[in-house]
Amino acid sequence: MAAVDIAPDGALQGRNARLLELLIEEIRESTSIALHLPMPDDERLRALCHRLIATPSDASSAAHCAASIHVAERTLHRLFARETGMSFAQWREQARLIHALRRIANGDRIIEVALDCGYSSHSAFAAMFRRHFGVAPSSFYR
């Protein structure tokens, strides 16, 4: 908190210099969780994204999703990359992760969360979760 009061004038000495060095070191060492879900500007894609957020268990293929917004599958993949900086699969997985974290935080059973997120089993969901966060879903909020 003391770092907030340090004037940004560039000439740092003594305690202030050590404090900022420590702050920078802590930021570098900290682990971050990327939970950003970019929303596209393209109206067709945005409508699809809202639908996928509302129904995370929707397992429609990219081809089916593309057809639902009247574009070719390759166009869908290009649009996702251009509009969100993510692939279609990455975006959907991120949306499911965010949904899952909310449900887990509410105390919902992991198997129910897994099925609600479109995974066929607890173990498939747990493997994806562990790949992203390094811990099992049941351990995340402990």
Side-chain angles (χ1 to χ4, degrees):
M1 295 304 291
V4 173
D5 296 326
I6 298 173
D9 60 8
L12 296 174
Q13 297 177 2
R15 179 177 183 264
N16 288 348
R18 290 189 310 276
L19 184 59
L20 286 180
E21 284 176 27
L22 177 61
L23 183 59
I24 291 168
E25 184 178 336
E26 288 297 314
I27 291 170
R28 285 185 181 136
E29 293 294 320
S30 71
T31 57
S32 63
I33 300 173
L35 292 177
H36 179 64
L37 190 64
M39 292 301 287
D41 291 327
D42 183 280
E43 290 183 30
R44 301 165 298 177
L45 206 55
R46 192 173 337 111
L48 173 61
C49 289
H50 285 296
R51 189 179 87 224
L52 293 172
I53 289 169
T55 55
S57 63
D58 182 348
S60 298
S61 67
H64 183 268
C65 289
S68 76
I69 62 169
H70 310 291
V71 299
E73 184 177 355
R74 288 183 63 174
T75 301
L76 176 79
H77 289 296
R78 280 193 296 267
L79 282 171
F80 259 95
R82 184 183 74 217
E83 296 274 328
T84 68
M86 304 171 90
S87 72
F88 172 72
Q90 289 170 328
W91 191 94
R92 181 189 291 199
E93 190 169 87
Q94 190 82 339
R96 287 174 170 172
L97 276 170
I98 291 169
H99 178 78
L101 288 173
R102 285 187 191 121
R103 297 272 316 266
I104 293 167
N106 285 334
D108 294 344
R109 293 178 47 219
I110 302 299
I111 185 64
E112 292 171 0
V113 175
L115 296 174
D116 188 44
C117 288
Y119 290 88
S120 58
S121 68
H122 174 276
S123 60
F125 174 72
M128 178 278 306
F129 197 94
R130 189 180 303 275
R131 189 175 70 248
H132 279 273
F133 300 120
V135 296
S138 57
S139 302
F140 188 77
Y141 285 109
R142 289 185 188 163

